């Protein structure tokens, strides 16, 4: 079982930011990445639709023999992970906006959070926010249009800069000192965000924490792959493979798959 792959899915290409952290921490692990780009963005869809799509992705990965599933999508985690954990026997790792470290460390008592509508409106996010961000100002911003631009290969476009300037303006005016990235597509924006934000603003994303958690859970279940041979790394998308390929090194081959 330990040689079976880690399954990872996202609404699209964004979860590759998580895959990179997992691969960096556990280079010996086999993995299968599923980008459900055909159905992106998940953000504006309701909880039921997001859960149904998450079930479809999960069942595909389980059918491939995955030993654990990483839900590399904040929107799917905050809306569907409880259902998945209750209904499937394998371990699931999720990702949520890292509001806790930002709330604990802010000096200006104002933090920004950029995430999808589905994440910001979820019960899970509300609970975390209530618990950790009681005495600070949290500027929540729905990143409308960002996922669509990345999914259509316009990460470095002028349209992206314009959108980000608009979303960051109220945060900068409120003097935030932390910006939490609540969507796995957003780490790809970091160079642009650094350029647009005042120097003192720190950006928090949860990718490394998710990788560490994945390792800890594999260890606990004695599922770490002891093999030292080259791992089998598979990347599938039901969208345009070229766009996903542009986010990954050429040595990894992205394949088209209808799922
Ligand atoms: N990467 C997904 C997330 O982390 C994007 C969701 C979407 O498709 O809107 O939430």
């Amino acid at each position: 079982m330990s040689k079976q792959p880690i399954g990872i899915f996202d609404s699209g290409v964004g979860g590759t930011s998580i895959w990179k952290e997992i691969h960096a921490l556990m280079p010996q692990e086999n993995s299968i990445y599923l980008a459900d780009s055909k159905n992106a963005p998940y953000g504006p869809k309701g909880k039921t639709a997001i859960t149904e799509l998450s079930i479809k992705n999960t069942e595909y990965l389980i059918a491939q023999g995955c030993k654990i599933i990483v839900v590399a999508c904040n929107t799917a985690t905050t809306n569907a992970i409880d259902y998945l954990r209750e209904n499937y026997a394998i371990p699931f790792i999720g990702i949520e906006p890292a509001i806790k470290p930002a709330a604990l460390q802010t000096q200006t008592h104002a933090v920004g959070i950029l995430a999808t509508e589905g994440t910001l409106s979820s019960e899970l996010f509300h609970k975390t926010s209530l618990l950790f961000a009681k005495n600070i100002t949290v500027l929540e911003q729905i990143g409308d249009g960002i996922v669509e631009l990345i999914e259509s290969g316009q990460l470095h476009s002028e349209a992206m800069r314009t959108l980000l300037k608009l979303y960051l303006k109220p945060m900068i005016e409120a003097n935030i000192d932390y910006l939490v990235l609540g969507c796995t597509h957003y780490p790809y924006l970091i160079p642009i965000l650094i350029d647009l934000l005042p120097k003192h603003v720190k950006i928090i994303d949860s990718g490394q924490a998710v990788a560490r958690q994945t390792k800890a859970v594999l260890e606990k279940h004695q599922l770490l792959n002891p093999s030292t041979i080259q791992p089998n790394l598979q990347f599938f998308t039901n969208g345009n493979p070229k766009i996903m390929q542009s986010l990954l090194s050429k040595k990894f081959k992205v394949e088209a798959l209808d799922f």
Side-chain angles (χ1 to χ4, degrees), residues 10-11 40-43 72-75 116 119 147 182-185:
D10 179 34
S11 63
Y42 281 9
C73 176
N74 292 255
T75 312
T116 71
T119 296
V147 167
C183 171
T184 56
H185 282 68

Side-chain angles (χ1 to χ4, degrees), residues 109-156:
H109 302 286
V111 305
I113 161 147
L114 193 58
T116 71
E117 185 183 348
T119 296
L120 292 176
S121 64
S122 68
E123 252 174 70
L124 200 58
F125 175 73
H126 277 286
K127 263 196 224 156
T128 317
S129 188
L130 274 178
L131 199 61
F132 299 110
K134 269 195 295 271
N135 303 318
I136 59 162
T137 307
V138 179
L139 285 103
E140 294 177 15
Q141 176 64 56
I142 296 174
D144 257 339
I146 297 177
V147 167
E148 288 92 325
L149 284 173
I150 295 175
E151 290 291 326
S152 60
Q154 298 179 75
L155 171 59
H156 301 290

Side-chain angles (χ1 to χ4, degrees), residues 45-60:
K45 296 179 167 57
K47 187 177 172 77
T48 309
I50 295 167
T51 305
E52 277 164 11
L53 291 166
S54 302
I55 291 170
K56 166 184 74 77
N57 301 332
T58 295
E59 292 194 345
Y60 181 84

Side-chain angles (χ1 to χ4, degrees), residues 202-215:
K202 293 174 198 70
I203 299 170
I204 301 198
D205 89 83
S206 331
Q208 288 182 358
V210 171
R212 285 195 300 270
Q213 176 67 3
T214 307
K215 188 175 182 191

